[in-house]
Amino acid sequence: MANCPICKKNPRDPNYQPFCSKRCSDVDLQRWLGGVYVFPGEPADELSQDDREDG
């Protein structure tokens, strides 16, 4: 069984897998919502060509 990715303990509650608890699940969610986790990619333009023509 894999360790919890947040606290490194073994998962104990199947309702929160791969986390060991609601707390660790909530910590992970907050990291996503706070922008800690990001996917690399090309920077987006501030405005697309269509937006510039309409304004």
Side-chain angles (χ1 to χ4, degrees), residues 3-42:
N3 290 339
C4 174
I6 302 299
C7 71
K8 309 301 183 212
K9 295 178 184 175
N10 286 332
R12 290 175 274 160
D13 190 337
N15 294 323
Y16 298 108
Q17 285 187 1
F19 309 104
C20 66
S21 65
K22 180 170 178 12
R23 180 198 163 278
C24 285
S25 177
D26 289 345
V27 167
D28 185 68
L29 177 61
Q30 183 60 41
R31 288 179 182 176
W32 278 106
L33 296 175
V36 174
Y37 301 140
V38 295
F39 290 103
E42 296 291 323

Side-chain angles (χ1 to χ4, degrees), residues 40-55:
E42 296 291 323
D45 290 339
E46 288 185 27
L47 295 173
S48 69
Q49 185 65 32
D50 292 336
D51 290 340
R52 284 185 233 136
E53 291 173 0
D54 292 340

